[in-house]
Amino acid sequence: MRKIALAAAIALAASATAPAIAATAVEPPAQEWSFDGVFGTFDRNQLKRGFQVFREVCSACHSLKLVAFRNLKDPGGPEFTEAEAKAIAAGFQVPSLDDTGQPTTRDGILADHFPLVYPNDIAAHAANNGAAPPDLSLMAKARENGPDYIHAIMVGFHEAPEGFTVPEGAHYNEYMPGHVIAMAPPLKDGQVEYAEANVPRTVDQYGKDVAAFLMWAAEPKLEARHRLGMGVIIFLSLLSVLLFLSYRRVWRNIDH
Amino acid sequence: MASGPSTYTPSNGFMRWLDARLPIVRFANDNLLSFPTPKNLNYAYTFGAILFYCLVIQIVTGIVLAMHFIPNSALAFGSVEYIMRDVNYGWLIRYIHMNGASFFFIAVYVHIFRGIYYGSYKAPREILWILGVIIFLLMCATGFLGYTLPWSQMSLWGANVITNLLGALLGQDFTQWLWGGYSVDNPTLQRFFSLHYLLPFVILGVSVLHVWALHHVGNNNPTGIEPKGPQDTVPLMPYYTTKYYFVIALFTIAFAAVVFYAPNLFGHVDHYVEGNPLKTPAHIAPEWYLAAFYAMLRAIDFNFILDSKVLGVLVMVGAIGILFLVPWLDTSKVRSARYRPVFWWCFWIFVADYAVLSWAGLQPAGVVLFQTGVGEDGNPVGFSITHLSQIGTIYYFGFFLLIMPLLGLFETPRPLPDSIATAVLAKKKGGAAAPAGAASAPETRV
Ligand code: HEM
């Protein structure tokens, strides 16, 4: 009887930390990610493809301001070579000052961050029917089920169901809370030319790749974290065994 | 400070000289080494040591974070991301600090519930208990202030909700004084940072008083019977210190599992969206450890003499305030729930109640759990999170205001053992060897 009550109390206590009930959102279908699980790591090729999708499509509207070009060559990321990262940086124009102190732009260098797409929020709103495209640096952590959600948004565009009116200039998306999104479907099959021949050129694949890339952008230290954690937990487990034995030994002659 | 006569003898001339002038070694010896501790303390009694460990972790990681954090409303969010991305092991330090707060609260909840289960607040431990409640209050304040610092949507809007609540009670002038302006803005962030840095050291100070009070009256123990002599106790070192090391290692494994493999488990996704004063999030949730109080606040959705908002704040403040009175609300002479069959049930229901309230406080208030029909506006109606919170709130207060005082009058306690040593021996023999002497009759108060 007591045991049952105890178990019930513990189960209830555990449920208290369960994630909040999502209000209106449709649960995005769970994908398999190489970075899931305690040994998870990013798939370099996938990050590179995801970067390509971001560069060729999303970066027209979305910024990635927390990521620096140098990060593209950091260990645990897409791991472009230094020369590749420099070339990528040079392909972006970043704000600067000219010799007379007047604002101008110059080619990006490794130390620069991805530049803003619009000079400010008002411009971003004005250019997009009143809904500013959010910065994507943290998008994979700023939505429930981040990477699954980003992928779902990419594949979730379709005709609105009977009786559902989508406002002028907006689009129906199954996974957007409320189903109305200001972003036009950004991807179509075959749009991005991957160098790898055996990777499908479908919206589904583009969506997965760009979601993985954005997961890295949001959590660039994920691999280091997974690796260090393993060492820490193994060390602590051995330590606990030794500490337990010493505790038992100290108490061996005491009734308690 | 430690109860009982000092056992320290200085080992050489210098130590005798020092002892006559500043008995610091004697103090450490009596409090940290030879302090007589009941020999039957179980694992629930190790959480005090764990709490000190948590406080040290928060202070050390916090000081490092403060070297990189920028308390400015335009820069704070970016500076936390800078810590996550560019500071060496900044991600680790921030994830330890962020989850350290949650683990600190897990430990303090075990510690508090332990105190209630074993009646540790009863005479002569009332001051010890009250100092503990003060620490809990300071922890709630520190956790809340810390949560505002990254200046995310949750930071900003959480700060808005809480400061407006205080305003409902103390007036708009008070809120503006608190904000340092006409809204939650940069001055608010700067003062919150200053206070967030200060309060942990206040906690440290009150914790020293807490341990002073503990070492003056001695530990309670699972039997609730005071030690009757040396046969009932062991010196703290090495008996409990070795136990602490072991438990702290276990605790750290659980902590590390979260820090390394689920660092955002306790968090909210809107905590990764930069604060925007023009955009109210769909759902503002407090941190889990404050959610039970938030649920009790929202449970009051009706006016009763006072406006519902004021009443809600009073209920929320009362929920912590009532803890100060517990030593006098509980009328039973028996300390430990082991020997109180009815209280035992009421206690575990109380734990479950607190868990349900915490869960409810994290949900959007209007969510209907059991639908009974459809309202005029087409939305489902029925048993909602608010109703659940109301039931939870009634039990929460009922536990303190009705159950505690009345059980002491009507409950028949189980027979108490003669001493800790007999209880230990009985347990060892594997049976509840009926101890002699203790009468088994309803407690009477005349
Ligand atoms: C009782 C101990 C403490 C508790 C419960 C606590 C709690 C918190 C919490 C919940 C956060 C928000 C973390 C996040 O969501 O990112 C935070 C942030 C912060 N805390 Fe503390 N803290 C404590 C002690 C300290 C101390 C002693 C310092 C400094 C000396 C400190 C400095 C900071 C700084 C700079 C931040 C902002 C950076 C960040 O958000 O990670 N904390 N704290």
Side-chain angles (χ1 to χ4, degrees):
Chain A
M1 197 66 164
R2 273 178 171 220
K3 286 242 169 71
I4 297 172
L6 208 68
I10 290 169
L12 278 165
S15 77
T17 57
I21 296 173
T24 55
V26 182
E27 183 92 359
Q31 306 296 316
E32 266 188 33
W33 301 108
S34 65
F35 47 80
D36 278 345
V38 296
F39 298 109
T41 53
F42 291 112
D43 171 346
R44 310 273 162 247
N45 290 331
Q46 183 171 42
L47 292 193
K48 285 185 177 147
R49 292 195 304 269
F51 171 72
Q52 191 184 348
V53 175
F54 173 78
R55 176 71 184 101
E56 292 179 16
V57 185
C58 324
S59 70
C61 304
H62 291 282
S63 57
L64 196 67
K65 64 181 180 187
L66 297 174
V67 179
F69 295 115
R70 65 185 151 79
N71 297 137
L72 294 171
K73 63 177 181 58
D74 284 348
E79 299 188 0
F80 285 106
T81 62
E82 176 140 355
E84 285 168 333
K86 275 188 178 150
I88 290 167
F92 281 86
Q93 288 296 304
V94 299
S96 182
L97 297 176
D98 68 14
D99 293 345
T100 61
Q102 294 308 307
T104 177
T105 59
R106 60 166 170 76
D107 292 353
I109 57 170
L110 287 182
D112 289 318
H113 280 221
F114 278 81
L116 296 180
V117 178
Y118 300 100
N120 53 55
D121 235 30
I122 299 174
H125 277 94
N128 290 279
N129 266 326
D135 184 84
L136 292 183
S137 317
L138 282 168
M139 186 53 73
K141 291 204 290 189
R143 298 288 183 275
E144 294 291 348
N145 308 306
D148 292 337
Y149 174 79
I150 295 171
H151 167 262
I153 289 283
M154 295 296 112
V155 298
F157 289 97
H158 52 72
E159 285 295 309
E162 200 72 42
F164 189 102
T165 38
V166 179
E168 186 61 29
H171 306 270
Y172 184 86
N173 191 302
E174 195 175 339
Y175 299 102
M176 181 77 179
H179 303 307
V180 174
I181 189 165
M183 170 167 67
L187 294 167
K188 34 184 212 305
D189 288 345
Q191 182 177 359
V192 179
E193 271 306 320
Y194 283 153
E196 292 162 89
N198 55 349
V199 181
R201 284 139 213 224
T202 57
V203 172
D204 179 60
Q205 185 64 37
Y206 296 149
K208 280 182 193 151
D209 293 346
V210 78
F213 172 73
L214 291 177
M215 183 65 199
W216 167 77
E219 195 66 18
K221 299 295 160 63
L222 177 142
E223 288 190 12
R225 173 156 65 72
H226 284 183
R227 216 169 28 238
L228 183 59
M230 212 26 76
V232 168
I233 288 178
I234 291 170
F235 168 78
L236 285 171
S237 306
L238 296 177
L239 182 68
S240 312
V241 172
L242 293 180
L243 290 173
F244 180 69
L245 294 176
S246 71
Y247 156 64
R248 288 294 293 267
R249 187 168 168 79
V250 164
W251 280 83
R252 71 193 178 286
N253 293 326
I254 308 263
D255 289 334
H256 65 285
Chain B
M1 161 162 170
S3 57
S6 175
T7 60
Y8 174 67
T9 23
S11 53
N12 58 39
F14 172 73
M15 292 309 242
R16 271 190 297 280
W17 180 87
L18 180 64
D19 193 49
R21 284 155 184 82
L22 177 70
I24 187 168
V25 182
R26 176 182 301 279
F27 178 87
N29 173 79
D30 295 351
N31 283 291
L32 302 175
L33 302 180
S34 72
F35 181 68
T37 313
K39 62 184 186 181
N40 59 336
L41 300 188
N42 54 24
Y43 284 103
Y45 278 80
T46 60
F47 279 81
I50 290 177
L51 284 164
F52 260 99
Y53 173 68
C54 291
L55 182 59
V56 170
I57 290 179
Q58 289 306 95
I59 289 180
V60 172
T61 53
I63 288 174
V64 178
L65 287 174
M67 293 173 186
H68 304 282
F69 174 72
I70 308 174
N72 174 291
S73 57
L75 303 173
F77 190 83
S79 78
V80 172
E81 280 303 318
Y82 163 77
I83 292 170
M84 292 293 287
R85 290 159 192 268
D86 290 329
V87 173
N88 288 331
Y89 290 96
W91 58 269
L92 179 59
I93 293 166
R94 191 233 177 177
Y95 276 157
I96 291 177
H97 194 78
M98 187 172 119
N99 288 294
S102 280
F103 275 84
F104 203 159
F105 273 91
I106 291 173
V108 88
Y109 279 128
V110 174
H111 194 65
I112 294 173
F113 284 125
R114 185 284 321 260
I116 297 175
Y117 186 89
Y118 293 116
S120 300
Y121 43 76
K122 293 182 192 183
R125 297 187 179 80
E126 303 94 322
I127 296 287
L128 177 56
W129 168 266
I130 286 173
L131 289 167
V133 179
I134 292 173
I135 293 172
F136 178 62
L137 255 175
L138 289 168
M139 278 177 64
C140 291
T142 310
F144 160 71
L145 293 169
Y147 196 56
T148 63
L149 300 185
W151 216 242
S152 69
Q153 276 290 74
M154 277 296 124
S155 301
L156 182 63
W157 291 94
N160 249 307
V161 171
I162 300 295
T163 49
N164 277 316
L165 285 179
L166 295 175
L169 207 58
L170 303 170
Q172 189 62 20
D173 288 347
F174 176 81
T175 329
Q176 287 177 1
W177 175 75
L178 208 62
W179 287 338
Y182 297 101
S183 65
V184 176
D185 206 337
N186 191 54
T188 327
L189 173 57
Q190 275 184 267
R191 63 191 56 193
F192 279 13
F193 176 55
S194 171
L195 294 173
H196 182 69
Y197 205 141
L198 170 68
L199 288 190
F201 295 93
V202 179
I203 293 177
L204 187 61
V206 181
S207 305
V208 169
L209 293 181
H210 186 72
V211 173
W212 185 1
L214 169 72
H215 282 199
H216 186 69
V217 296
N219 291 80
N220 184 28
N221 66 79
T223 65
I225 305 166
E226 296 291 336
K228 297 195 166 139
Q231 73 282 6
D232 288 342
T233 64
V234 287
L236 188 68
M237 168 85 181
Y239 293 96
Y240 283 106
T241 43
T242 50
K243 189 168 185 169
Y244 293 158
Y245 294 147
F246 168 55
V247 177
I248 285 174
L250 285 188
F251 184 79
T252 312
I253 291 178
F255 187 11
V258 172
V259 164
F260 290 105
Y261 298 108
N264 296 302
L265 178 70
F266 298 110
H268 191 290
V269 288
D270 276 348
H271 202 40
Y272 283 105
V273 180
E274 186 163 6
N276 179 351
L278 302 176
K279 195 172 163 211
T280 320
H283 166 49
I284 303 172
E287 294 250 81
W288 70 268
Y289 43 79
L290 303 176
F293 299 106
Y294 191 56
M296 290 192 244
L297 166 90
R298 290 192 311 186
I300 312 301
D301 62 348
F302 49 85
N303 300 338
F304 177 73
I305 306 172
L306 295 166
D307 177 64
S308 67
K309 206 171 167 193
V310 178
L311 199 62
V313 180
L314 285 176
V315 164
M316 183 169 86
V317 173
I320 294 190
I322 202 165
L323 296 175
F324 285 103
L325 302 177
V326 163
W328 297 278
L329 288 172
D330 188 340
T331 53
S332 170
K333 282 181 293 193
V334 178
R335 285 197 190 121
S336 172
R338 259 191 199 175
Y339 308 103
R340 300 186 60 194
V342 186
F343 181 77
W344 190 93
W345 277 103
C346 298
F347 169 80
W348 284 109
I349 296 171
F350 178 69
V351 174
D353 181 62
Y354 197 81
V356 169
L357 280 170
S358 302
W359 178 78
L362 295 174
Q363 313 307 321
V367 171
V368 171
L369 298 169
F370 304 108
Q371 189 174 347
T372 53
V374 178
E376 281 167 24
D377 53 1
N379 288 327
V381 290
F383 186 79
S384 70
I385 288 288
T386 309
H387 296 126
L388 184 69
S389 307
Q390 285 166 346
I391 296 176
T393 307
I394 291 172
Y395 189 81
Y396 182 93
F397 283 94
F399 179 74
F400 292 115
L401 293 175
L402 292 174
I403 294 176
M404 278 198 168
L406 292 180
L407 272 192
L409 306 178
F410 298 112
E411 184 181 37
T412 307
R414 293 206 183 88
L416 295 177
D418 286 335
S419 71
I420 294 175
T422 42
V424 165
L425 279 180
K427 190 177 119 200
K428 230 189 155 165
K429 287 203 201 92
S440 186
E443 290 187 58
T444 41
R445 289 273 178 299
V446 193

